[in-house]
C-alpha cells in the first residue's frame, strides 16, 4: 500500500479559507516541504518555552492549546480541528512557544519545518504577506474575545464561542453541526466554572439552540445561536 504524503491531503487543506486562498505555487511549496506526523491521544506536540519548530496544520483529530499556572491550573485557550493551521507566531518573532499544544484525541498533523520555511520565505519575500494573513485573522478573533470577556454576560460568551467553533473560527468553508468539546473545556475557554457552564448550556438547550451530548455539543440552530450571541 502506498504511503500517504501531505499532497494527498490537499483537498482537505483547501477546505480551509487560508490555504485555499494561497497562490498555487505556495500551496505546492508548503506541501513539498511538509511531512506527516501521527500523535497519540494526550501526546504533546510542543510546550511553552520550546524553540520555534515550524508551521502545522490539523488533518485529523484535534490539538488542545493551553497554559498552566504555577499551581498547575490549566487554562484552555482553544481546540484546533481540521484543517486549521497554527504555529505561525514563532515563525515571525523567532521567540519560544507561548503555550502547550497537545493532541486530543489521536491526531494526524502536517508539519512544515522552521528552517525550510525560513528558506522559502527568504527566496520569496512576497509570501510573508500570505503568512501575515494567518496571524491577522487570529488577532481579530483575539481582540473580539478580549472585548467579550470585559463586556458580555457569560451565557452570550458561551453562545458566541460555540458558534465560532461550529464555523471553525471562520476558517472552514463548511459548518460543523457537532462541536467536539467537553463542558469543562468550554468553561475554561470563557473563564467560568464547569457548574456555571452546565447551567447556561442547559438554558441554550431549552431554547432549542443546542443539544448536550457526552463530550460534544450538537448545534440545532446555528443562526439562532449566532443571533443570541
Amino acid at each position: 500500500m502506498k504511503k500517504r504524503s501531505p499532497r494527498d491531503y490537499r483537498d482537505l487543506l483547501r477546505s480551509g479559507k487560508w490555504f485555499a486562498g494561497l497562490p498555487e505555487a505556495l500551496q505546492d511549496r508548503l506541501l513539498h516541504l511538509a511531512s506527516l506526523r501521527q500523535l497519540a491521544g494526550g501526546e504533546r506536540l510542543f510546550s511553552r518555552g520550546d524553540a520555534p519548530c515550524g508551521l502545522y496544520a490539523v488533518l485529523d483529530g484535534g490539538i488542545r492549546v493551553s497554559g498552566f499556572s504555577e499551581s498547575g491550573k490549566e487554562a484552555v485557550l482553544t481546540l484546533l480541528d481540521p484543517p486549521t493551521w497554527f504555529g505561525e507566531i514563532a515563525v515571525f518573532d523567532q521567540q519560544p512557544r507561548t503555550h502547550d499544544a497537545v493532541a486530543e484525541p489521536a491526531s494526524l498533523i502536517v508539519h512544515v519545518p522552521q528552517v525550510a520555511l525560513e528558506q522559502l520565505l527568504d527566496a520569496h519575500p512576497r509570501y510573508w504577506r500570505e503568512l501575515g494573513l494567518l496571524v491577522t485573522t487570529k488577532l481579530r478573533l483575539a481582540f473580539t474575545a478580549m472585548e467579550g470577556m470585559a463586556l458580555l454576560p457569560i451565557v452570550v460568551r458561551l453562545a458566541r464561542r460555540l458558534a465560532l467553533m461550529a464555523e471553525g473560527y471562520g476558517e472552514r468553508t463548511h459548518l460543523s453541526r457537532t462541536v467536539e468539546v467537553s463542558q469543562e473545556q468550554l468553561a475554561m475557554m470563557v473563564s467560568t466554572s464547569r457548574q456555571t457552564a452546565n447551567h447556561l448550556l442547559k438554558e441554550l438547550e431549552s431554547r432549542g439552540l443546542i443539544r448536550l451530548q457526552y463530550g460534544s455539543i450538537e448545534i440545532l440552530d446555528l443562526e439562532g445561536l449566532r443571533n443570541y450571541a
Side-chain angles (χ1 to χ4, degrees), residues 62-180:
I63 298 292
R64 184 178 80 249
V65 180
S66 62
F68 290 85
S69 68
E70 291 184 0
S71 63
K73 181 179 179 180
E74 183 180 18
V76 176
L77 275 69
T78 190
L79 299 174
L80 305 175
D81 58 5
T84 304
W85 288 83
F86 64 101
E88 69 281 355
I89 292 177
V91 176
F92 277 89
D93 64 14
Q94 302 290 304
Q95 297 298 306
R97 293 295 184 187
T98 57
H99 295 88
D100 299 340
V102 177
E104 187 179 296
S107 302
L108 178 66
I109 62 171
V110 62
H111 176 216
V112 183
Q114 183 87 6
V115 173
L117 184 56
E118 289 175 356
Q119 291 172 346
L120 172 63
L121 293 169
D122 286 343
H124 304 279
R126 65 185 183 278
Y127 290 155
W128 275 109
R129 178 184 180 277
E130 310 300 335
L131 206 60
L133 291 175
L134 189 59
V135 176
T136 54
T137 298
K138 295 178 182 178
L139 188 58
R140 284 180 179 272
L141 290 171
F143 281 151
T144 300
M146 290 168 61
E147 180 182 10
M149 287 290 186
L151 300 177
L152 298 178
I154 296 174
V155 67
V156 177
R157 301 205 309 261
L158 273 173
R160 177 177 288 184
R161 179 60 70 115
L162 285 173
L164 283 171
M165 293 178 75
E167 297 163 349
Y169 295 96
E171 167 63 12
R172 284 198 304 266
T173 56
H174 66 280
L175 302 177
S176 174
R177 292 293 171 176
T178 301
V179 176
E180 302 292 340

Side-chain angles (χ1 to χ4, degrees), residues 192-211:
T192 191
S193 67
R194 184 188 181 282
Q195 292 77 9
T196 298
N198 176 261
H199 172 74
L200 297 176
L201 286 169
K202 286 181 177 179
E203 178 181 329
L204 296 177
E205 187 175 44
S206 71
R207 294 174 179 267
L209 302 176
I210 64 172
R211 178 183 293 124

